[in-house]
Amino acid sequence: MLLKLRAGEKLYLNGAVIKVERKSTLELLNDATFLLEAHVIQPEEANTPLRQLYFVLQTQLMEREASPLALRMFIDMSAASRAAFGGGPVSDGLRGADDLVESGRIFEAMKTLRGLFPLEAELMKDKASANAA
């Protein structure tokens, strides 16, 4: 797998943080767990239920020691989030993310959650508008 990084960009590879000084291309010759800087959210950005779930999965990929605890947290938080959102596309997406996590496809589950962020924002905006009325 080829990874193209911009100058100053960070790569999170098997728990290590790698920063390149100039534009670089890395070739991974074996199976590795990695996240590009663009896919990483900071703790203060985990300010909604779906972003918190994303952060938990991110932690699972980045910190191997935390992986079993992060998986348990994801399962519990996902179930609570599905219940809070009720039916609809967000709950359906969460079920899809659960299935991906169960099959070990963490990065794909994170991608699914990122795709749900706009729906969550819209639902939260609608709820805030209804509460203000």
Side-chain angles (χ1 to χ4, degrees), residues 13-15 26 34 41 50 52 58-59 66 73-74 85 87 90 98 100 107 112 121 125 132-133:
L13 178 66
N14 288 345
L26 299 174
F34 69 92
I41 65 172
L50 294 184
Q52 289 169 357
Q58 169 185 297
T59 301
M73 285 178 66
F74 176 83
F85 281 107
V90 173
D98 290 349
L100 290 167
F107 187 78
T112 297
K125 185 174 79 172

Short mmCIF file of all heavy atoms in Angstrom, two decimals, residues 13-15 26 34 41 50 52 58-59 66 73-74 85 87 90 98 100 107 112 121 125 132-133:
data_model
loop_
_atom_site.label_atom_id
_atom_site.label_comp_id
_atom_site.label_asym_id
_atom_site.label_seq_id
_atom_site.Cartn_x
_atom_site.Cartn_y
_atom_site.Cartn_z
N LEU A 13 0.97 5.08 12.85
CA LEU A 13 1.25 3.75 12.33
C LEU A 13 1.55 2.79 13.47
O LEU A 13 2.55 2.96 14.17
CB LEU A 13 2.44 3.83 11.35
CG LEU A 13 2.93 2.54 10.74
CD1 LEU A 13 1.86 1.96 9.81
CD2 LEU A 13 4.22 2.79 9.97
N ASN A 14 0.68 1.81 13.65
CA ASN A 14 0.85 0.80 14.69
C ASN A 14 1.16 1.42 16.06
O ASN A 14 2.02 0.94 16.79
CB ASN A 14 1.93 -0.21 14.31
CG ASN A 14 1.49 -1.14 13.22
OD1 ASN A 14 0.31 -1.25 12.91
ND2 ASN A 14 2.44 -1.81 12.60
N GLY A 15 0.50 2.51 16.37
CA GLY A 15 0.67 3.16 17.66
C GLY A 15 1.75 4.22 17.69
O GLY A 15 1.84 4.99 18.64
N LEU A 26 5.33 6.66 1.29
CA LEU A 26 5.72 5.47 2.05
C LEU A 26 5.01 4.26 1.45
O LEU A 26 3.84 4.35 1.08
CB LEU A 26 5.32 5.60 3.52
CG LEU A 26 5.92 6.74 4.32
CD1 LEU A 26 5.28 6.78 5.69
CD2 LEU A 26 7.41 6.57 4.44
N PHE A 34 -3.00 1.92 10.48
CA PHE A 34 -2.57 3.31 10.36
C PHE A 34 -3.77 4.23 10.21
O PHE A 34 -4.85 3.83 9.81
CB PHE A 34 -1.63 3.49 9.16
CG PHE A 34 -2.30 3.34 7.82
CD1 PHE A 34 -2.82 4.45 7.18
CD2 PHE A 34 -2.42 2.11 7.23
CE1 PHE A 34 -3.46 4.31 5.95
CE2 PHE A 34 -3.05 1.96 6.01
CZ PHE A 34 -3.57 3.06 5.37
N ILE A 41 -9.41 12.84 15.03
CA ILE A 41 -10.05 13.96 15.72
C ILE A 41 -9.45 14.08 17.12
O ILE A 41 -9.03 13.09 17.72
CB ILE A 41 -11.59 13.85 15.78
CG1 ILE A 41 -12.05 12.64 16.61
CG2 ILE A 41 -12.19 13.79 14.40
CD1 ILE A 41 -13.55 12.60 16.84
N LEU A 50 -21.88 10.60 18.06
CA LEU A 50 -21.19 9.89 16.98
C LEU A 50 -19.70 10.20 16.96
O LEU A 50 -18.88 9.32 16.69
CB LEU A 50 -21.83 10.20 15.63
CG LEU A 50 -23.26 9.70 15.44
CD1 LEU A 50 -23.73 9.99 14.02
CD2 LEU A 50 -23.41 8.24 15.77
N GLN A 52 -17.96 10.89 19.57
CA GLN A 52 -17.39 10.15 20.70
C GLN A 52 -17.16 8.69 20.31
O GLN A 52 -16.12 8.10 20.65
CB GLN A 52 -18.30 10.26 21.91
CG GLN A 52 -18.30 11.65 22.51
CD GLN A 52 -19.38 11.86 23.56
OE1 GLN A 52 -20.20 10.99 23.82
NE2 GLN A 52 -19.38 13.05 24.15
N GLN A 58 -10.97 5.33 17.05
CA GLN A 58 -9.66 5.89 16.76
C GLN A 58 -8.66 5.46 17.83
O GLN A 58 -7.54 5.05 17.52
CB GLN A 58 -9.79 7.41 16.70
CG GLN A 58 -8.52 8.18 16.65
CD GLN A 58 -8.80 9.67 16.72
OE1 GLN A 58 -9.45 10.21 15.84
NE2 GLN A 58 -8.30 10.32 17.75
N THR A 59 -9.07 5.54 19.07
CA THR A 59 -8.21 5.13 20.18
C THR A 59 -7.87 3.65 20.06
O THR A 59 -6.73 3.25 20.30
CB THR A 59 -8.91 5.41 21.53
OG1 THR A 59 -9.17 6.81 21.61
CG2 THR A 59 -8.06 4.97 22.70
N ALA A 66 -5.01 -0.16 24.79
CA ALA A 66 -6.37 0.26 25.14
C ALA A 66 -7.42 -0.45 24.31
O ALA A 66 -8.61 -0.29 24.56
CB ALA A 66 -6.50 1.76 24.95
N MET A 73 -16.13 -0.22 25.28
CA MET A 73 -16.77 1.10 25.33
C MET A 73 -17.57 1.36 24.07
O MET A 73 -18.69 1.87 24.14
CB MET A 73 -15.71 2.21 25.49
CG MET A 73 -15.12 2.30 26.87
SD MET A 73 -13.85 3.59 26.98
CE MET A 73 -14.84 5.05 26.72
N PHE A 74 -17.01 1.00 22.91
CA PHE A 74 -17.73 1.21 21.66
C PHE A 74 -19.05 0.45 21.66
O PHE A 74 -20.09 1.00 21.31
CB PHE A 74 -16.88 0.80 20.45
CG PHE A 74 -17.65 0.93 19.16
CD1 PHE A 74 -17.74 2.15 18.53
CD2 PHE A 74 -18.33 -0.15 18.62
CE1 PHE A 74 -18.49 2.30 17.37
CE2 PHE A 74 -19.06 -0.02 17.45
CZ PHE A 74 -19.15 1.21 16.83
N PHE A 85 -31.14 7.66 19.35
CA PHE A 85 -31.54 8.15 18.04
C PHE A 85 -32.83 7.48 17.54
O PHE A 85 -33.45 7.97 16.61
CB PHE A 85 -30.43 7.92 17.00
CG PHE A 85 -29.33 8.93 17.07
CD1 PHE A 85 -28.09 8.61 17.59
CD2 PHE A 85 -29.53 10.23 16.63
CE1 PHE A 85 -27.07 9.54 17.66
CE2 PHE A 85 -28.52 11.18 16.70
CZ PHE A 85 -27.29 10.83 17.21
N GLY A 87 -35.20 4.95 15.58
CA GLY A 87 -35.04 4.38 14.25
C GLY A 87 -34.47 5.41 13.29
O GLY A 87 -34.13 6.52 13.66
N VAL A 90 -29.58 7.17 11.04
CA VAL A 90 -28.45 7.18 11.96
C VAL A 90 -28.36 5.82 12.67
O VAL A 90 -27.28 5.23 12.76
CB VAL A 90 -28.53 8.34 12.97
CG1 VAL A 90 -27.44 8.23 14.02
CG2 VAL A 90 -28.44 9.67 12.25
N ASP A 98 -21.45 -1.20 13.75
CA ASP A 98 -21.30 -2.31 14.71
C ASP A 98 -20.85 -3.58 14.00
O ASP A 98 -19.95 -4.28 14.47
CB ASP A 98 -22.64 -2.60 15.41
CG ASP A 98 -23.06 -1.51 16.38
OD1 ASP A 98 -22.25 -0.61 16.68
OD2 ASP A 98 -24.23 -1.55 16.81
N LEU A 100 -19.24 -3.84 11.18
CA LEU A 100 -17.86 -3.68 10.72
C LEU A 100 -16.87 -3.87 11.87
O LEU A 100 -15.84 -4.54 11.71
CB LEU A 100 -17.67 -2.31 10.07
CG LEU A 100 -18.38 -2.12 8.73
CD1 LEU A 100 -18.41 -0.64 8.34
CD2 LEU A 100 -17.71 -2.96 7.65
N PHE A 107 -11.35 0.68 10.57
CA PHE A 107 -11.24 1.88 9.74
C PHE A 107 -12.51 2.09 8.92
O PHE A 107 -12.99 3.21 8.79
CB PHE A 107 -10.01 1.81 8.83
CG PHE A 107 -9.78 3.09 8.07
CD1 PHE A 107 -9.20 4.18 8.70
CD2 PHE A 107 -10.18 3.21 6.76
CE1 PHE A 107 -9.00 5.37 8.02
CE2 PHE A 107 -9.99 4.40 6.07
CZ PHE A 107 -9.40 5.48 6.71
N THR A 112 -17.80 4.91 8.11
CA THR A 112 -19.26 4.91 8.22
C THR A 112 -19.72 5.99 9.19
O THR A 112 -20.65 6.75 8.90
CB THR A 112 -19.77 3.53 8.66
OG1 THR A 112 -19.41 2.57 7.66
CG2 THR A 112 -21.27 3.52 8.86
N ALA A 121 -25.69 16.12 12.87
CA ALA A 121 -25.72 17.58 13.04
C ALA A 121 -27.10 18.13 12.71
O ALA A 121 -27.62 19.00 13.42
CB ALA A 121 -24.64 18.23 12.17
N LYS A 125 -29.59 19.94 15.29
CA LYS A 125 -30.06 21.30 15.01
C LYS A 125 -31.58 21.35 15.08
O LYS A 125 -32.15 22.26 15.66
CB LYS A 125 -29.57 21.72 13.61
CG LYS A 125 -29.90 23.17 13.27
CD LYS A 125 -29.28 23.58 11.95
CE LYS A 125 -30.15 23.02 10.84
NZ LYS A 125 -29.76 23.50 9.51
N ALA A 132 -36.23 25.30 21.43
CA ALA A 132 -36.28 26.75 21.54
C ALA A 132 -37.69 27.30 21.28
O ALA A 132 -38.01 28.38 21.74
CB ALA A 132 -35.29 27.38 20.56
N ALA A 133 -38.49 26.53 20.55
CA ALA A 133 -39.84 27.01 20.20
C ALA A 133 -40.83 26.85 21.30
O ALA A 133 -40.76 26.45 22.34
CB ALA A 133 -40.35 26.24 18.99
#
